[in-house]
Amino acid sequence: MELTRATTSRAQDEAAPLNVSKVLASWAKAGPLVHAPTGIATLDELTDGGPCFGTRWVLAGAPDAGKTGLLVQVAHTYAERGIAVGLLGVDEEPGDMLMRFAQRCGFSRGRCEARDTSDLVAIEQALAGLPIRFYDASWTIDRAAADLGDYSTEHGVGACFIVDSLQVATCDAEDPRSTVREQVTARMQTLRRVAQEHRLIALATSEMNRAAYRTAEAAEHTDDLASAKESGAIEYSARVLLAL
């Protein structure tokens, strides 16, 4: 009986609502919110200095709207400043992602495709020293975030976690038998959790539903906040939602 009472008491404590003191204690434990400027002046101004560590942004857009390109631009800026960057690229393979970084360093697509030895050496010299980690489709959101979090802690640096995209990446909590909507919701909830748990800037891409871009007239009557495809959890859980 005593064991049962003790177990019940612990369960009630865990389920009890938070009060002001407990929330403030969590603030004190987490420390101040730190913004990381993206290098895009207008975006940084509108968001008071860029994303905060521990929060998540989502870029929703039509196919080929430039979602991945924009994230690579931010990722490159962060990496050059010493912020560790982890890219869970399922829409694009690590080689495709690397080519984007190489192009930002002045290497044309043709040179990247030709793979001349001298160019490969030059690309390595330009990028190998940056704290960039690539995760392919074999990684879940949970595992990739945990690995990046460990790297961040070990090296004493901040970290940015990029997921491309919420429609195709996977998480440990999702059930393959569930609907696509339920799966995307689970991924967004997981992204929110790992960003807070590992103190990561989480940036993810989302496909935009067709109603938001199929015609100019439809775009004028579709709220950008409701444009992310499959799940309303995206618009509700994203700290910032950018529609491209």
mmCIF file of all heavy atoms in Angstrom, residues 6 18 34 66 68 72 83 91 99 107 125 136 154 158 195 208 216 223 240 244:
data_model
loop_
_atom_site.group_PDB
_atom_site.id
_atom_site.type_symbol
_atom_site.label_atom_id
_atom_site.label_comp_id
_atom_site.label_asym_id
_atom_site.label_seq_id
_atom_site.Cartn_x
_atom_site.Cartn_y
_atom_site.Cartn_z
ATOM 1 N N ALA A 6 3.269 5.994 -2.723
ATOM 2 C CA ALA A 6 4.462 6.731 -3.134
ATOM 3 C C ALA A 6 4.508 6.888 -4.648
ATOM 4 O O ALA A 6 4.844 7.948 -5.174
ATOM 5 C CB ALA A 6 5.715 6.013 -2.643
ATOM 6 N N LEU A 18 2.727 23.703 -13.884
ATOM 7 C CA LEU A 18 3.816 24.564 -13.438
ATOM 8 C C LEU A 18 3.263 25.843 -12.837
ATOM 9 O O LEU A 18 2.164 26.282 -13.171
ATOM 10 C CB LEU A 18 4.735 24.899 -14.606
ATOM 11 C CG LEU A 18 5.425 23.731 -15.304
ATOM 12 C CD1 LEU A 18 6.190 24.232 -16.514
ATOM 13 C CD2 LEU A 18 6.354 23.005 -14.348
ATOM 14 N N VAL A 34 19.943 33.500 -26.554
ATOM 15 C CA VAL A 34 21.020 34.062 -27.377
ATOM 16 C C VAL A 34 20.611 33.995 -28.839
ATOM 17 O O VAL A 34 20.307 32.921 -29.361
ATOM 18 C CB VAL A 34 22.335 33.285 -27.156
ATOM 19 C CG1 VAL A 34 23.433 33.847 -28.057
ATOM 20 C CG2 VAL A 34 22.750 33.335 -25.692
ATOM 21 N N GLY A 66 13.635 27.853 -53.460
ATOM 22 C CA GLY A 66 14.898 28.303 -52.886
ATOM 23 C C GLY A 66 15.042 28.022 -51.403
ATOM 24 O O GLY A 66 15.904 28.616 -50.743
ATOM 25 N N THR A 68 16.101 25.242 -49.671
ATOM 26 C CA THR A 68 17.374 24.621 -49.292
ATOM 27 C C THR A 68 18.527 25.583 -49.532
ATOM 28 O O THR A 68 19.455 25.678 -48.717
ATOM 29 C CB THR A 68 17.599 23.322 -50.091
ATOM 30 O OG1 THR A 68 16.490 22.439 -49.881
ATOM 31 C CG2 THR A 68 18.879 22.630 -49.638
ATOM 32 N N VAL A 72 21.243 26.717 -46.724
ATOM 33 C CA VAL A 72 22.680 26.502 -46.903
ATOM 34 C C VAL A 72 23.427 27.815 -46.737
ATOM 35 O O VAL A 72 24.530 27.853 -46.163
ATOM 36 C CB VAL A 72 22.968 25.864 -48.281
ATOM 37 C CG1 VAL A 72 24.462 25.907 -48.595
ATOM 38 C CG2 VAL A 72 22.470 24.420 -48.310
ATOM 39 N N ILE A 83 29.914 28.199 -35.381
ATOM 40 C CA ILE A 83 28.721 27.490 -34.914
ATOM 41 C C ILE A 83 28.650 26.154 -35.648
ATOM 42 O O ILE A 83 28.718 26.101 -36.876
ATOM 43 C CB ILE A 83 27.446 28.313 -35.188
ATOM 44 C CG1 ILE A 83 27.473 29.616 -34.386
ATOM 45 C CG2 ILE A 83 26.195 27.514 -34.857
ATOM 46 C CD1 ILE A 83 26.318 30.556 -34.704
ATOM 47 N N ASP A 91 15.895 15.182 -48.686
ATOM 48 C CA ASP A 91 15.548 15.591 -50.048
ATOM 49 C C ASP A 91 16.791 15.583 -50.941
ATOM 50 O O ASP A 91 16.713 15.284 -52.127
ATOM 51 C CB ASP A 91 14.941 16.998 -50.049
ATOM 52 C CG ASP A 91 13.492 16.988 -49.557
ATOM 53 O OD1 ASP A 91 12.900 15.899 -49.493
ATOM 54 O OD2 ASP A 91 12.971 18.062 -49.241
ATOM 55 N N MET A 99 27.991 20.156 -52.626
ATOM 56 C CA MET A 99 28.129 20.925 -53.861
ATOM 57 C C MET A 99 27.597 22.348 -53.675
ATOM 58 O O MET A 99 28.180 23.319 -54.190
ATOM 59 C CB MET A 99 27.384 20.243 -55.017
ATOM 60 C CG MET A 99 27.582 20.940 -56.363
ATOM 61 S SD MET A 99 26.710 20.144 -57.743
ATOM 62 C CE MET A 99 27.559 18.573 -57.838
ATOM 63 N N PHE A 107 33.252 27.573 -56.630
ATOM 64 C CA PHE A 107 33.444 26.439 -57.538
ATOM 65 C C PHE A 107 32.144 26.203 -58.305
ATOM 66 O O PHE A 107 31.097 25.974 -57.713
ATOM 67 C CB PHE A 107 33.831 25.183 -56.757
ATOM 68 C CG PHE A 107 35.141 25.302 -56.027
ATOM 69 C CD1 PHE A 107 35.168 25.767 -54.710
ATOM 70 C CD2 PHE A 107 36.334 24.992 -56.651
ATOM 71 C CE1 PHE A 107 36.368 25.893 -54.027
ATOM 72 C CE2 PHE A 107 37.540 25.125 -55.979
ATOM 73 C CZ PHE A 107 37.558 25.576 -54.665
ATOM 74 N N GLN A 125 40.242 22.277 -48.787
ATOM 75 C CA GLN A 125 40.917 23.357 -48.071
ATOM 76 C C GLN A 125 39.932 24.461 -47.675
ATOM 77 O O GLN A 125 40.069 25.084 -46.627
ATOM 78 C CB GLN A 125 42.031 23.933 -48.941
ATOM 79 C CG GLN A 125 43.218 22.995 -49.126
ATOM 80 C CD GLN A 125 44.254 23.549 -50.094
ATOM 81 O OE1 GLN A 125 43.969 24.456 -50.889
ATOM 82 N NE2 GLN A 125 45.478 23.007 -50.034
ATOM 83 N N ASP A 136 22.576 11.483 -43.471
ATOM 84 C CA ASP A 136 21.765 11.033 -44.607
ATOM 85 C C ASP A 136 20.438 10.455 -44.118
ATOM 86 O O ASP A 136 20.084 10.556 -42.942
ATOM 87 C CB ASP A 136 22.538 10.025 -45.464
ATOM 88 C CG ASP A 136 22.918 8.761 -44.700
ATOM 89 O OD1 ASP A 136 22.282 8.461 -43.656
ATOM 90 O OD2 ASP A 136 23.850 8.058 -45.145
ATOM 91 N N GLU A 154 30.800 18.823 -26.482
ATOM 92 C CA GLU A 154 32.203 18.413 -26.433
ATOM 93 C C GLU A 154 33.138 19.546 -26.848
ATOM 94 O O GLU A 154 34.211 19.724 -26.264
ATOM 95 C CB GLU A 154 32.422 17.204 -27.348
ATOM 96 C CG GLU A 154 33.851 16.697 -27.375
ATOM 97 C CD GLU A 154 34.048 15.537 -28.331
ATOM 98 O OE1 GLU A 154 33.033 14.997 -28.839
ATOM 99 O OE2 GLU A 154 35.217 15.169 -28.588
ATOM 100 N N GLY A 158 28.025 26.647 -29.992
ATOM 101 C CA GLY A 158 26.613 26.565 -30.305
ATOM 102 C C GLY A 158 26.409 25.701 -31.533
ATOM 103 O O GLY A 158 27.363 25.394 -32.269
ATOM 104 N N ALA A 195 15.252 20.601 -30.135
ATOM 105 C CA ALA A 195 15.815 21.957 -30.128
ATOM 106 C C ALA A 195 15.962 22.452 -28.703
ATOM 107 O O ALA A 195 16.994 23.031 -28.327
ATOM 108 C CB ALA A 195 14.932 22.898 -30.932
ATOM 109 N N MET A 208 5.123 23.479 -49.388
ATOM 110 C CA MET A 208 3.935 24.324 -49.283
ATOM 111 C C MET A 208 2.771 23.630 -49.985
ATOM 112 O O MET A 208 2.962 22.991 -51.030
ATOM 113 C CB MET A 208 4.234 25.672 -49.941
ATOM 114 C CG MET A 208 3.128 26.696 -49.843
ATOM 115 S SD MET A 208 3.612 28.268 -50.648
ATOM 116 C CE MET A 208 4.635 28.996 -49.375
ATOM 117 N N ALA A 216 -1.768 32.635 -59.101
ATOM 118 C CA ALA A 216 -1.584 33.911 -58.410
ATOM 119 C C ALA A 216 -2.806 34.251 -57.579
ATOM 120 O O ALA A 216 -2.714 34.750 -56.459
ATOM 121 C CB ALA A 216 -1.311 35.021 -59.425
ATOM 122 N N ASP A 223 -3.554 32.218 -46.574
ATOM 123 C CA ASP A 223 -2.711 32.798 -45.536
ATOM 124 C C ASP A 223 -1.381 32.061 -45.492
ATOM 125 O O ASP A 223 -1.347 30.829 -45.445
ATOM 126 C CB ASP A 223 -3.408 32.693 -44.180
ATOM 127 C CG ASP A 223 -2.739 33.553 -43.121
ATOM 128 O OD1 ASP A 223 -1.498 33.609 -43.115
ATOM 129 O OD2 ASP A 223 -3.452 34.149 -42.306
ATOM 130 N N VAL A 240 9.210 30.897 -35.873
ATOM 131 C CA VAL A 240 9.113 31.756 -37.059
ATOM 132 C C VAL A 240 8.809 30.879 -38.264
ATOM 133 O O VAL A 240 9.430 29.829 -38.441
ATOM 134 C CB VAL A 240 10.431 32.540 -37.294
ATOM 135 C CG1 VAL A 240 10.383 33.271 -38.637
ATOM 136 C CG2 VAL A 240 10.682 33.534 -36.166
ATOM 137 N N LEU A 244 8.094 31.083 -48.754
ATOM 138 C CA LEU A 244 8.825 31.474 -49.968
ATOM 139 C C LEU A 244 7.943 31.157 -51.192
ATOM 140 O O LEU A 244 7.522 30.029 -51.349
ATOM 141 C CB LEU A 244 10.146 30.705 -50.068
ATOM 142 C CG LEU A 244 11.094 30.823 -48.881
ATOM 143 C CD1 LEU A 244 12.384 30.078 -49.178
ATOM 144 C CD2 LEU A 244 11.391 32.282 -48.579
#
